[in-house]
Amino acid sequence: MSSKPSHSEDPKKGKKISANENTNEGSIAKLKAKKGRLPTANQLAEAIINGDTVALSRAITLTESTKPEHIEKANKILELCLPHANNSIRIGITGVPGVGKSTFIESLGSYIANKKNKLAVLAIDPSSSVSKGSILGDKTRMESLVNNPNVYIRPSAAGTSLGGVARKTRESIILCEACGFNTIFIETVGVGQSETAVHSMADFFLLLKLAGAGDELQGIKRGIIELADAIVINKADGHNIKNAEKAKTEFNNALHLYQPKSNGWTPEVLLASAIENKGIQEIWELIENYIEKSKTDRSFHQKRAEQNKFWLYQTIDEHLKSNFYQNERIKSALGQQLKAIENNETTPFAAAQYLLSIL
Ligand code: GDP
């Protein structure tokens, strides 16, 4: 394995982004030159299993494609990679824009990568098709991670639906694990439903918060707190330390109002300064404790099994929906029905009934 950094494709922008493809990057190029054609699914899977991150990036790009031949190839690669996956811990990280997610990921990521872990950083950003990639894709602040030979960073796929974007991220997790990454971070912005999607693919779910002016508990989406396995109050530095400590007490009190988690885990509130690398070791130790405990009591495996079942249904839903909307007859009838609704000639329910009946 060479440690020479190379580049991967940013699917949204069609430009090269710097990423760390710390492996035998020549192998795929050689395969291509030898055969004069693109590597097969078998060749790509073999290269991924051997730790080739160029092959990994290519396979992820295939999972993100909508072309039937790419989907077929991606599915074959996933099937071949699956027996080599699952050997990692998956950590979901969420928080509103500006809370310090990328700074925190850089800090925690560097800490664990320096402990000889191989880290893949993925993202779910359903807004990326609109905003052209608001997370990870344009993260210049993650420079030290990008240049770390133990780290692979892939921005969120673009997509029209959260389900579609989330599925691609989930497939990327499998591919990254098969490629030897033993720690996966999945970042998402704390707005909308994307936290639920990340929660459904993470072993440990971390919520980043900021200390406010004493009214921290207002405006918090109750649902997100319920999902969190730990809350980290970031930017606990400088003049903000006192506020952060106060917020920690308030969150701790608030957490006691919730039902304990099914595995008996009580979420903890920790302070951090991502920018000063403070509190990072404690957070990692907490995550390690959680993983150890949940592996001992088997809740780790139960959770993954539940998540797999959830993803079966999600995938079916997604498939049915996309088949429906991509159907040519539906497309034209949908236009007519929308017009009819606008003109008060039909009800939304009758229109939906009609559309569903013509497929
Ligand atoms: P994201 O939008 O959640 O990814 O947030 P960023 O990581 O981009 O950080 C937003 C801003 O907060 C940047 O200006 C960071 O330098 C700053 N920031 C991040 N973490 C800390 C921290 O621990 N302390 C302080 N004081 N500033 C921070």
Side-chain angles (χ1 to χ4, degrees), residues 70-89:
H70 288 168
I71 294 172
E72 198 185 322
K73 195 168 176 180
N75 283 341
K76 175 94 183 126
I77 297 169
L78 280 161
E79 198 184 305
L80 293 165
C81 284
L82 199 56
H84 303 269
N86 255 329
N87 205 4
S88 79
I89 53 174

Side-chain angles (χ1 to χ4, degrees), residues 147-199:
N147 292 319
N148 189 317
N150 282 334
V151 181
Y152 175 82
I153 300 177
R154 179 80 181 192
S156 175
T160 47
S161 73
L162 170 61
V165 174
R167 178 188 54 77
K168 293 166 198 171
T169 305
R170 203 176 141 78
E171 290 178 347
S172 303
I173 293 176
I174 293 169
L175 297 172
C176 287
E177 289 175 349
C179 197
F181 291 92
N182 68 351
T183 313
I184 316 280
F185 283 178
I186 314 135
E187 178 190 3
T188 195
V189 229
V191 286
Q193 288 299 306
S194 54
E195 307 90 342
T196 320
V198 172
H199 182 257

